[in-house]
Amino acid sequence: FDLTQSPSLFVSPGQTATIPCSGERLGDRYTSWYQVKPGQSPVVVIYQDSKRPSGIPERFSGSSSGDIASLTIYGTQAMDEADYYCQAWDTNTGGVFGGGTKLTVL
Amino acid sequence: QLQLQESGPRLVRPSETLSLTCSVSGGSVRSAFYWAWVRQPPGKGFEWIGTLHHGGDTYSNPSLKSRLLISVDTSKNEVSLKLNSATAADTALYYCARSTDVLTGFFLDYWGQGTQVTVSS
C-alpha cells in the first residue's frame, strides 16, 4: 500500500490550495494530514478525512473519495507555507505516509 | 498538556543496536491511546516505524519488523524503541508520537520534538 503526493505546489496569497493524495481505496480508510514547518515537529491539521483539531484554522479542509484524499486550504496565507504529508492505515503495511508536498506561497 | 521527549545516543556504530526512549509527561502511557515511533531520514519524507498499546497490541513496519522491538514501561511512563543491526540507512530524525486507535484511523495527535540519530563508524 502506497500513498502518492505531488512534490510541490505553488499558490498565491489569498488563493485556494488543494493538495491531493492518492492511494488504493483511500475513500474506505481514514486519512490524516500533517503540516511540517522547518525546524518544527509535525502538527495534525486534518484527521478522519475531514475533521479539524481544535486550534486549526477553519480555512483547512479535508475530503476523501475513491482513491483520492485532498487537503484544501482556502484563502492561503504566508504562514501556511510548509510541507504537508498525508497518512493512512493499512492492515498489512501499517501507518503509511505519502511522500509530502511542499507548499510555497508566493 | 501532554509532552513527549525522545532521548538516546546521537551516534550509533553500524551493526550495533539503536536504542531510544520517549518520556511521557502530562499524561499516562496506560491511557486508552496508542504510542508510535516515526522517523525522517535526511532530506526525505516520514517513515512509520511502529505503534503499540500498553495492553500489548503492537504493529510494526514490515520492512523493520525483524530488527525492531518497541515496548511500553508503565512504571517509568516511557515508550522505547530498539532497532538492532543498525546501518547508515537508519540515520534519521526519530519522533515519538501519541496515536489514536483503529476506530479513528491511528492518527498522531501529539509529537515529540524528535531526536537525530546518526549511524556511522
Side-chain angles (χ1 to χ4, degrees):
Chain A
F1 176 67
D2 290 312
L3 295 177
T4 301
Q5 296 182 245
S6 299
S8 61
L9 178 66
F10 297 83
V11 64
S12 300
Q15 298 302 302
T16 297
T18 298
I19 301 173
C21 171
S22 65
E24 184 180 357
R25 298 187 296 107
L26 261 189
D28 295 335
R29 315 172 193 262
Y30 280 138
T31 300
S32 52
W33 290 90
Y34 301 89
Q35 177 192 67
V36 188
K37 295 183 178 180
Q40 298 184 21
S41 299
V43 173
V44 58
V45 294
I46 293 290
Y47 65 95
Q48 287 183 247
D49 297 337
S50 59
K51 296 183 178 180
R52 268 182 302 105
S54 60
I56 300 302
E58 291 184 9
R59 63 180 182 274
F60 286 86
S61 176
S63 63
S64 182
S65 179
D67 293 343
I68 304 290
S70 297
L71 172 68
T72 301
I73 308 172
Y74 297 98
T76 306
Q77 300 182 9
M79 68 172 65
D80 301 329
E81 186 163 290
D83 294 332
Y84 291 88
Y85 291 85
C86 58
Q87 187 197 22
W89 189 268
D90 178 79
T91 53
N92 294 318
T93 53
V96 178
F97 284 92
T101 297
K102 182 177 182 61
L103 177 66
T104 301
V105 182
L106 46 68
Chain B
Q1 176 79 349
L2 186 73
Q3 291 189 324
L4 309 175
Q5 181 65 60
E6 304 88 348
S7 62
R10 297 294 186 101
L11 179 65
V12 177
R13 304 300 181 190
S15 80
E16 295 186 347
T17 297
L18 186 159
S19 297
L20 295 175
T21 298
C22 173
S23 298
V24 179
S25 59
S28 174
V29 296
R30 289 180 292 177
S31 69
F33 290 97
Y34 286 65
W35 305 93
W37 287 97
V38 176
R39 69 183 183 181
Q40 185 176 30
K44 297 185 178 181
F46 291 102
E47 179 181 30
W48 171 78
I49 298 172
T51 297
L52 76 162
H53 186 268
H54 72 87
D57 202 14
T58 303
Y59 305 91
S60 301
N61 187 319
S63 69
L64 300 172
K65 192 171 184 177
S66 64
R67 301 191 291 128
L68 180 67
L69 176 64
I70 50 177
S71 60
V72 171
D73 187 333
T74 56
S75 66
K76 296 182 179 179
N77 216 35
E78 292 178 345
V79 184
S80 67
L81 173 152
K82 294 186 187 299
L83 189 62
N84 60 35
S85 304
T87 71
D90 296 315
T91 294
L93 181 59
Y94 284 77
Y95 290 98
C96 170
R98 191 179 78 170
S99 174
T100 63
D101 60 18
V102 62
L103 297 177
T104 52
F106 285 116
F107 73 92
L108 307 172
D109 61 352
Y110 283 90
W111 294 65
Q113 295 203 342
T115 187
Q116 178 66 42
V117 179
T118 300
V119 180
S120 175
S121 55

